[in-house]
Amino acid sequence: MSRYYSDYLDQLESEAIHIMREVAGQFERPALLFSGGKDSITLVYLALKAFRPGPFPFPLVHIDTGHNFPEALQFRDELAQRIGERLIVRQVADTIQRQHLTEPKGKFASRNALQTYTLLETIEEFEFDCCIGGARRDEEKARAKERVFSVRNEFGEWDPKSQRPELWSTYNGKIQKGENVRVFPISNWTELDVWNYIRRENIPLPSIYFSHEREVLVHEDQLIAVSDFIQLEPTDVIETRKVRYRTVGDMTCTAAVESQASTLDEVVNEIIATRISERGETRIDDRVTEAAMEDRKKNGYF
């Protein structure tokens, strides 16, 4: 890694730490949304730099759909235990039962959109006034409309036309009772930045981010992990491939990519060579409509 790029990562790190400390200073009950994926893991390590030797001024919160990769869940629990921080887990299945929600049907029946209901319940339960997330502007075009401090109304809804200006890195966290702010400390990072930072800081990750053999369903040029959460048909093509994951979502809506990359250096080289965003290549739920992500965010999604 060049000296110039290392300095650039230092700048991104400094900005993210500044944003996290702004959250601690401006909000009474913040939370860090933590899934066990690479972006939220990066947030945890940034928080360690921002607040150690003291404890985090917020708990880690995971909205669990019940369709997660076991490797990510195991890593989530181990990391929270290792750093000694509070982990709050709320289940989408409980919300479905409590609110009598309609469970999605079909071959890849994802609960991804239903996470919104559980997140809003959790915000109300703990009276969180701010939720820190690992979204980046290069992930998907709806993400690029977000400010670093993104205000949501009392119903959790997001209005992309009513975003506050953030000139000179001035963040306005003032909200009315019932409103909530989503904060994105790594909003200005790219996927490559995250991987280079993980490599520089030697941050451990779940094994699924590196090449491994997995039984996959070959479906419309995508490789979907075979699991109990998808409906297999007799005509489905099942193969064992060497794959890894660029992003970690539900097993029902996240595709793998064929890869031989088993080290951080090899993953970084793959990212440099790709011309497709991680969500564009691997997230089935973002292909539903052109505005799939924006529609979910308007209703209160992460």
Side-chain angles (χ1 to χ4, degrees):
M1 185 185 303
S2 70
R3 174 65 183 174
Y4 170 82
Y5 199 83
S6 182
D7 290 344
Y8 175 62
L9 288 180
D10 285 340
Q11 293 174 23
L12 291 176
E13 177 190 74
S14 179
E15 177 189 50
I17 289 173
H18 166 66
I19 291 168
M20 285 194 168
R21 289 173 176 167
E22 281 290 305
V23 167
Q26 292 195 44
F27 297 97
E28 295 182 5
R29 296 184 182 88
L32 191 155
L33 302 177
F34 179 66
S35 65
K38 71 180 185 309
D39 297 316
S40 61
I41 292 170
T42 298
L43 288 180
V44 168
Y45 276 82
L46 289 166
L48 288 170
K49 288 197 174 188
F51 303 112
R52 283 295 188 259
F56 290 179
F58 39 68
L60 309 180
V61 175
H62 184 211
I63 306 302
D64 187 350
T65 63
H67 293 168
N68 298 101
F69 289 89
E71 299 95 327
L73 294 181
Q74 180 180 349
F75 190 94
R76 175 202 70 186
D77 295 340
E78 290 174 352
L79 178 58
Q81 183 177 21
R82 175 158 49 85
I83 65 176
E85 295 294 341
R86 182 186 180 195
L87 172 65
I88 297 170
V89 179
R90 289 296 179 267
Q91 303 289 340
V92 172
D94 294 338
T95 305
I96 292 173
Q97 184 176 20
R98 191 162 41 245
Q99 297 193 26
H100 306 290
L101 301 176
T102 301
E103 184 95 30
K105 307 295 182 184
K107 190 176 188 65
F108 305 108
S110 173
R111 292 175 174 172
N112 203 28
L114 298 182
Q115 292 180 87
T116 299
Y117 296 92
T118 308
L119 175 61
L120 296 178
E121 278 189 345
T122 306
I123 289 172
E124 183 177 5
E125 177 185 356
F126 293 95
E127 298 183 336
F128 292 136
D129 52 1
C130 170
C131 294
I132 303 169
R136 305 185 325 270
R137 288 176 180 164
D138 71 321
E139 288 181 274
E140 199 274 344
K141 57 188 177 182
R143 300 284 203 198
K145 295 182 180 181
E146 292 271 21
R147 298 290 192 266
V148 174
F149 275 36
S150 180
V151 179
R152 309 298 174 97
N153 66 20
E154 62 270 28
F155 303 106
E157 297 168 334
W158 172 65
D159 182 1
K161 296 181 180 179
S162 299
Q163 297 292 291
R164 297 169 177 174
E166 293 178 337
L167 304 176
W168 307 291
S169 298
T170 300
Y171 305 111
N172 180 3
K174 186 176 181 180
I175 55 175
Q176 302 297 321
K177 184 175 177 58
E179 292 181 333
N180 182 270
V181 175
R182 309 289 168 82
V183 172
F184 306 108
I186 60 172
S187 182
N188 290 326
W189 298 41
T190 65
E191 181 187 11
L192 181 60
D193 294 333
V194 170
W195 277 106
N196 272 317
Y197 187 76
I198 288 170
R199 178 172 62 171
R200 190 184 78 169
E201 300 295 316
N202 197 27
I203 297 173
L205 294 175
S207 59
I208 60 175
Y209 280 111
F210 302 97
S211 180
H212 60 284
E213 285 194 348
R214 185 180 289 269
E215 197 173 39
V216 294
L217 164 64
V218 183
H219 178 77
E220 295 181 357
D221 76 358
Q222 291 190 310
L223 306 176
I224 316 300
V226 174
S227 72
D228 294 336
F229 310 128
I230 62 174
Q231 296 180 9
L232 293 177
E233 301 169 2
T235 56
D236 284 336
V237 178
I238 307 297
E239 299 180 1
T240 298
R241 302 269 191 101
K242 290 206 74 173
V243 300
R244 70 175 187 86
Y245 286 84
R246 292 178 66 184
T247 182
V248 174
D250 277 5
M251 297 185 76
T252 55
C253 65
T254 308
V257 295
E258 279 200 277
S259 173
Q260 300 292 325
S262 58
T263 67
L264 285 171
D265 286 341
E266 290 170 346
V267 170
V268 167
N269 289 335
E270 275 195 358
I271 299 302
I272 291 172
T274 189
R275 292 295 178 266
I276 306 174
S277 72
E278 59 190 283
R279 294 192 71 96
E281 183 174 22
T282 65
R283 293 303 289 266
I284 300 172
D285 50 339
D286 287 347
R287 296 187 175 190
V288 176
T289 69
E290 284 291 318
M293 170 64 81
E294 184 163 331
D295 289 342
R296 293 200 303 273
K297 289 173 72 65
K298 286 179 178 179
N299 291 328
Y301 188 72
F302 301 167

